[in-house]
Amino acid sequence: MDNSIVMIAIAVLDICALVLMITSCVERHSGRKRWSKMTSDMELAENDRIFPLECDEILIGRHASADIRIQDMSVSRYHAMLNVSGGKWSVTDLNSKSGIYVNGRKVQNIRLYEGDVIVLGTRRLVFRRKELQR
C-alpha cells in the first residue's frame, strides 16, 4: 500500500475522532442545560449538609438504599419521595411513622417552592436554589 494512502486514512480517522469528541462535549453541555431547566437547579440543605437533587425521583430515608440517607431514628427507613416534573418538585410521604411537615403543616403530598422547610422526624431540610459558589 502506498504510504500517502495510509497517511490520508490516518488523517481521516483523526478527523472523525475529533468530530465525535466535539459532538459528545456539545451533547453533554446541552444535556446539563436541559436537566438544569427541568429541575430548576434545586437542592435540599440541612445546616452545613447539602443534598443535590440530581435525578427525577429521589428516595429519602434511613435505609442504606435511600438516595438521601438520613441516619436518625426519627426518620423512617423509607420516609419520603421527591419527584420533579416540568421543573416542579413535589414531596410525598411514604407512610412514614412521623409523617412529613412542610412549613409547619402535615402533608401527604405537596408541591414544593423555593424556601419551603421540610421536616422529617426531628430533621429540618430547606428546599432551595443551588448556590453558585461554595
Side-chain angles (χ1 to χ4, degrees):
M1 206 189 260
D2 191 337
N3 212 10
S4 62
I5 295 175
V6 171
M7 294 301 290
I8 291 171
I10 290 173
V12 168
L13 285 174
D14 285 345
I15 291 169
C16 289
L18 181 62
V19 167
L20 285 173
M21 288 189 302
I22 290 170
T23 303
S24 172
C25 184
V26 168
E27 179 61 31
R28 187 176 2 186
H29 180 69
S30 65
R32 277 192 216 122
K33 285 173 93 175
R34 281 192 305 271
W35 178 250
S36 173
K37 185 175 183 178
M38 186 175 107
T39 64
S40 301
D41 280 333
M42 302 304 281
E43 66 186 8
L44 287 179
E46 179 187 37
N47 300 323
D48 59 346
R49 280 181 78 184
I50 304 298
F51 301 103
L53 306 179
E54 298 178 334
C55 50
D56 57 353
E57 203 173 71
I58 299 169
L59 175 64
I60 303 173
R62 198 177 71 238
H63 196 270
S65 66
D67 300 306
I68 295 178
R69 187 170 182 206
I70 301 175
Q71 295 178 315
D72 184 317
M73 291 304 290
S74 70
V75 175
S76 296
R77 288 185 299 250
Y78 303 104
H79 201 109
M81 182 69 73
L82 284 171
N83 295 289
V84 65
S85 179
K88 295 171 178 57
W89 284 94
S90 63
V91 64
T92 304
D93 184 10
L94 299 177
N95 297 318
S96 63
K97 188 173 182 179
S98 60
I100 296 175
Y101 292 81
V102 175
N103 300 327
R105 195 175 105 223
K106 188 170 185 173
V107 297
Q108 177 60 39
N109 181 302
I110 193 168
R111 180 173 171 204
L112 296 172
Y113 296 91
E114 185 175 357
D116 281 350
V117 176
I118 305 165
V119 176
L120 310 172
T122 61
R123 306 302 280 269
R124 183 181 179 272
L125 305 167
V126 178
F127 182 71
R128 68 180 194 191
R129 189 164 310 281
K130 284 182 183 177
E131 295 178 3
L132 294 177
Q133 296 178 355
R134 286 192 228 285

